[in-house]
Amino acid sequence: MAKLLDGVAVREQIKAELRSRIDRLRALRRAPGLAVVLAGEDPASAIYVRNKVKTCEELGIYSEKITPPETITTGALLEIVEGLNRREEIDGILVQMPLPRHVDSKRVLDAILPAKDVDGFHPVNVGNLSIGNPGPRACTPAGVIELLKRYEVPMAGQEAVVVGRSDIVGKPMAMMLLHQNATVTICHSKTRDLPGVCRRADILVAAIGRAAMIDESYIKPGAAVIDVGMNRVTDAGEVTRIWRGEARKLAQLEEKGSVLVGDVNPIAMAELASAYTPVPGGVGPLTIAMLMVNTVTLAEQHLGITASA
Ligand code: GUN
């Protein structure tokens, strides 16, 4: 039987561990502070940001949501970021991606002080990750490592294959697996014989954004499979093909108008993997948990208070 890597359970563990650190900060100085900038009306981004703010409230982290309109200029966003950089009570700044098309995202992200870069996207922190210096780490791949560690999935000496080379997930994921002494391959759209390369993986991480693309031909029996994808399928034929005609999923499509699926075929994954992350309930919950960890860690650093044992 494949082992389910339960992201909700691990998120709750992480939140429980954070409470004492947050209480200590509040007792000694002040609550950790996170500012989230959400520009425009992207509905998926609005849901992500709402969940981030809600989790802060649950934990006693001060949070502030700044919601400039879709039409905001790069210059005006830079001013917002620079204002937040100067505020003592703000420990972490998160600018939700994607920004409106006309905005120079790179300039905006690079304007965040590295010491407040709660996403770990700033070039200084990307460099810190690369050479193994401390610093905030990108939340989604950091969550994957946390999940693998807590379920005691061995990484050292294992063949890890990461499909996808984004700056947010694929590249930092590969670097973090390397730091765990895995032998790492990064694949992308130009990779030759992608299924063959993926079948070498003891740990397969899919972060491509293509619904159920990774099927049985990509998975070595007994591999640990991590599915970072979140895709909505709206076509009945597609739902039938992915879930092999499972009536429950067709009913879900009928009721909700879409069904959520990762980048990995869920049936193939459950049949072949020794351990895997479900969608939803696998990697997703950990991204926010790691954002909270990063916020608290930055606050401890800003206030000169070390985490209590
Ligand atoms: N958009 C999708 N994922 C993320 C993330 O982890 N951080 C930010 N800032 N934007 C995102």
Side-chain angles (χ1 to χ4, degrees):
M1 259 293 268
K3 184 161 61 177
L4 200 98
L5 304 174
D6 184 345
V8 174
V10 171
R11 175 189 67 192
E12 292 309 309
Q13 270 176 22
I14 292 172
K15 278 162 64 181
E17 292 161 12
L18 278 178
R19 283 180 204 278
S20 59
R21 290 169 65 187
I22 295 165
D23 289 348
R24 191 171 144 86
L25 284 165
R26 290 169 67 104
L28 291 173
R29 295 286 294 279
R30 59 161 174 77
L34 175 68
V36 181
V37 181
L38 170 64
E41 313 283 330
D42 181 63
S45 291
I47 293 171
Y48 291 140
V49 167
R50 193 178 333 127
N51 287 333
K52 289 170 185 178
V53 169
K54 194 178 117 224
T55 311
C56 283
E57 281 165 6
E58 240 177 83
L59 287 173
I61 293 174
Y62 170 77
S63 70
E64 200 169 294
K65 190 165 87 170
I66 297 136
T67 54
E70 181 81 26
T71 50
I72 190 162
T73 61
T74 302
L77 263 172
L78 288 172
E79 275 175 33
I80 290 174
V81 168
E82 281 153 13
L84 293 168
N85 281 342
R86 284 191 292 269
R87 283 176 53 194
E88 194 279 330
E89 76 281 19
I90 297 296
D91 299 294
I93 303 169
L94 182 147
V95 177
Q96 186 66 29
M97 295 288 128
L99 284 170
R101 292 247 310 268
H102 62 273
V103 170
D104 185 343
S105 301
K106 187 164 166 35
R107 270 186 78 198
V108 175
L109 291 178
D110 289 3
I112 297 171
L113 274 181
K116 294 194 177 191
D117 170 33
V118 76
D119 265 321
F121 292 169
H122 192 283
V124 165
N125 289 322
V126 174
N128 282 332
L129 167 62
S130 173
I131 58 177
N133 279 351
R137 303 290 196 241
C139 300
T140 300
V144 171
I145 296 289
E146 205 56 46
L147 196 63
L148 291 170
K149 278 188 180 167
R150 288 179 192 237
Y151 278 95
E152 297 178 343
V153 175
M155 289 182 266
Q158 301 297 99
E159 289 276 350
V161 174
V162 179
V163 190
R165 55 175 157 181
S166 69
D167 293 335
I168 295 183
V169 182
K171 284 186 217 164
M173 183 78 259
M175 197 53 81
M176 289 179 206
L177 286 163
L178 180 62
H179 289 320
Q180 298 298 324
N181 297 313
T183 302
V184 184
T185 303
I186 308 180
C187 299
H188 45 78
S189 55
K190 299 283 192 293
T191 297
R192 256 188 293 133
D193 184 22
L194 183 61
V197 177
C198 289
R199 279 197 308 273
R200 295 208 304 255
D202 302 306
I203 301 169
L204 178 62
V205 182
I208 30 187
R210 298 267 300 272
M213 189 189 101
I214 304 290
D215 64 16
E216 52 275 10
S217 67
Y218 294 66
I219 303 171
K220 175 167 83 173
V225 181
I226 306 295
D227 190 351
V228 182
M230 277 279 216
N231 312 287
R232 287 206 172 272
V233 181
T234 52
D235 178 72
E238 188 79 344
V239 169
T240 303
R241 187 185 62 74
I242 293 172
W243 279 277
R244 300 183 193 163
E246 214 179 274
R248 196 169 50 98
K249 287 293 164 184
L250 281 163
Q252 208 175 318
L253 176 67
E254 185 89 356
E255 188 193 336
K256 301 205 167 125
S258 68
V259 184
L260 199 60
V261 70
D263 293 345
V264 185
N265 183 292
I267 309 275
M269 183 159 67
E271 276 177 4
L272 290 169
S274 62
Y276 70 96
T277 57
V279 174
V283 174
L286 289 172
T287 298
I288 295 187
M290 297 316 289
L291 176 68
M292 300 298 119
V293 170
N294 283 352
T295 304
V296 172
T297 304
L298 292 177
E300 287 167 347
Q301 286 165 1
H302 296 155
L303 297 170
I305 293 165
T306 51
S308 55

